[in-house]
Amino acid sequence: MRTVYLNGEYMPENEANVSIFDRGFLMADGVYEVTSVLGGKLVDFEGHAVRLQRSLDALEMRNPISKEALLEVHRELVRLNGIDEGMIYLQVTRGAPGDRDFVFPDPETTAPTIVLFTQDKPGLANSPAAQKGMKVISIEDIRWGRRDIKTVQLLYPSMGKMMAKKAGADDAWMIEDGYVTEGTSNNAYIVKGNKIVTRALSNDILHGITRAAVLRFAQEAQMEVEERNFTIEEAKKADEAFITSASTFVMPVVEIDGVAVGEGVPGRVAPRLREIYLEESLKAAI
Ligand code: PDD
């Protein structure tokens, strides 16, 4: 059984209870982060901590924990649960006032709820899915307009994964006004020659922590990076396609809406970027 963290205490997962009035439960009024663990260490903890603060600020939600204490909790959970490869899930909600109300509760009397738990994923870095590549379908992006805030409002992304599953694919890329925004839980890229193309940062997509690292590594490896919109038609004709996220690192996409991308197998750029990302992340992990 896992040991989890809830509001300042470590406890067995079956003893961690949250109120039925918690605004995370009633209103999806909460934010989250997923930090990967490689070799028992945290990948890009700093990036996730900074983005957490950004999400909390955007929603005028109080941060219940300092960055130093948060690092300590992450490390303690890794230690207590013996995680070598996997993820740490963190969620902060606006807490549990005594009733349901659309108006935000007074932060002086209602403390935020903070939960962290580990997800053990041995073999995450050597995933067979990365060798094979994944298949995506395209769906309309009907999410709200502040996708840069990492909220727990994940119903549509969850439905998107189900649409993909029903279509025999692994994930969905979402399209708005004719252009790909991102994957249901990852950022989307295409490759043309030596050039990597991905949508520029705005409120339309999540500012991926893995995205920032991968684009930096790509530039350091003399690859060209172009941050601009692309269509699904352009993606189908690209040499390669891939996604990035904390839980998948860099993952090749080999099929879009049933059309093979390139040769229909992982190409040269995405696997190379995955290799560099894993190597550098392991080196910098804390
Ligand atoms: N998802 N875009 C969306 C919509 C996401 O949900 C995520 C992360 C990303 C990639 O961000 P990062 O590189 O910081 O993980 C992009 C996490 C992993 C999840 O929901 O499990």
Side-chain angles (χ1 to χ4, degrees), residues 48-181:
H48 291 283
V50 168
R51 188 174 60 190
L52 170 66
Q53 187 60 56
R54 185 182 181 279
S55 294
L56 291 169
D57 289 345
L59 297 176
E60 295 173 35
M61 210 183 285
R62 189 158 68 78
N63 189 342
I65 193 165
S66 72
K67 198 197 282 181
E68 295 70 34
L70 190 63
L71 174 59
E72 206 36 56
V73 174
H74 276 76
R75 285 178 161 163
E76 187 62 6
L77 284 179
V78 167
R79 192 185 69 77
L80 291 170
N81 294 289
I83 308 295
D84 179 51
E85 282 185 16
M87 282 99 73
I88 313 264
Y89 178 84
L90 149 77
Q91 178 169 330
V92 178
T93 77
R94 205 181 302 274
D99 201 357
R100 178 174 183 266
D101 190 346
F102 281 82
V103 174
F104 291 175
D106 181 353
E108 293 300 321
T109 51
T110 301
T113 302
I114 175 166
V115 176
L116 283 94
F117 58 80
T118 53
Q119 294 186 287
D120 192 21
K121 304 271 180 195
L124 189 64
N126 265 321
S127 140
Q131 310 289 323
K132 223 169 101 219
M134 54 187 273
K135 297 177 184 177
V136 302
I137 57 165
S138 60
I139 61 173
E140 197 189 337
D141 196 338
I142 60 166
R143 297 173 301 161
W144 78 326
R146 287 303 303 274
R147 302 156 193 160
D148 57 313
I149 310 173
K150 200 163 170 59
T151 74
V152 296
Q153 192 192 316
L154 295 174
L155 183 54
Y156 189 64
S158 183
M159 289 168 74
K161 291 255 199 237
M162 291 310 296
M163 289 184 239
K165 202 172 162 187
K166 281 182 194 150
D170 305 295
D171 200 4
W173 279 12
M174 295 179 281
I175 297 180
E176 187 172 57
D177 299 331
Y179 294 103
V180 174
T181 51

Side-chain angles (χ1 to χ4, degrees), residues 16 74 79 108 130 136 141 169 175 193 206 217 231 253 256 281 283:
H74 276 76
R79 192 185 69 77
E108 293 300 321
V136 302
D141 196 338
I175 297 180
L206 187 75
F217 297 144
T231 64
V253 168
I256 301 173
S281 298
K283 252 194 267 171

Side-chain angles (χ1 to χ4, degrees), residues 32-34 48 51 87 89 143 147 150 154 157 174 182-187 205-211 244-248:
Y32 76 108
E33 282 296 330
V34 177
H48 291 283
R51 188 174 60 190
M87 282 99 73
Y89 178 84
R143 297 173 301 161
R147 302 156 193 160
K150 200 163 170 59
L154 295 174
M174 295 179 281
E182 59 188 333
T184 59
S185 61
N186 43 69
N187 290 115
I205 61 168
L206 187 75
H207 301 188
I209 303 304
T210 319
R211 176 189 183 279
T244 66
S245 79
S247 50
T248 60

Side-chain angles (χ1 to χ4, degrees), residues 215-286:
L215 293 188
R216 194 174 68 241
F217 297 144
Q219 271 154 346
E220 283 168 11
Q222 315 304 327
M223 296 175 197
E224 205 184 319
V225 173
E226 204 171 285
E227 293 180 69
R228 64 160 170 86
N229 285 358
F230 62 87
T231 64
I232 204 77
E233 291 312 317
E234 186 180 4
K236 286 176 193 165
K237 291 189 208 116
D239 296 331
E240 290 181 46
F242 65 93
I243 58 157
T244 66
S245 79
S247 50
T248 60
F249 311 121
V250 179
M251 189 74 75
V253 168
V254 294
E255 198 181 292
I256 301 173
D257 288 333
V259 176
V261 179
E263 305 292 316
V265 291
R268 188 178 51 84
V269 174
R272 177 72 190 124
L273 278 174
R274 181 182 176 88
E275 209 173 271
I276 299 173
Y277 178 81
L278 287 172
E279 204 177 293
E280 294 298 322
S281 298
L282 196 56
K283 252 194 267 171
I286 59 170

Side-chain angles (χ1 to χ4, degrees), residues 1-18 73 76-78 80-81 88-89 114-119:
M1 196 188 299
R2 272 178 289 197
T3 299
V4 304
Y5 177 89
L6 171 63
N7 297 334
E9 285 180 60
Y10 296 93
M11 59 187 80
E13 62 184 36
N14 61 349
E15 286 174 24
N17 297 312
V18 175
V73 174
E76 187 62 6
L77 284 179
V78 167
L80 291 170
N81 294 289
I88 313 264
Y89 178 84
I114 175 166
V115 176
L116 283 94
F117 58 80
T118 53
Q119 294 186 287

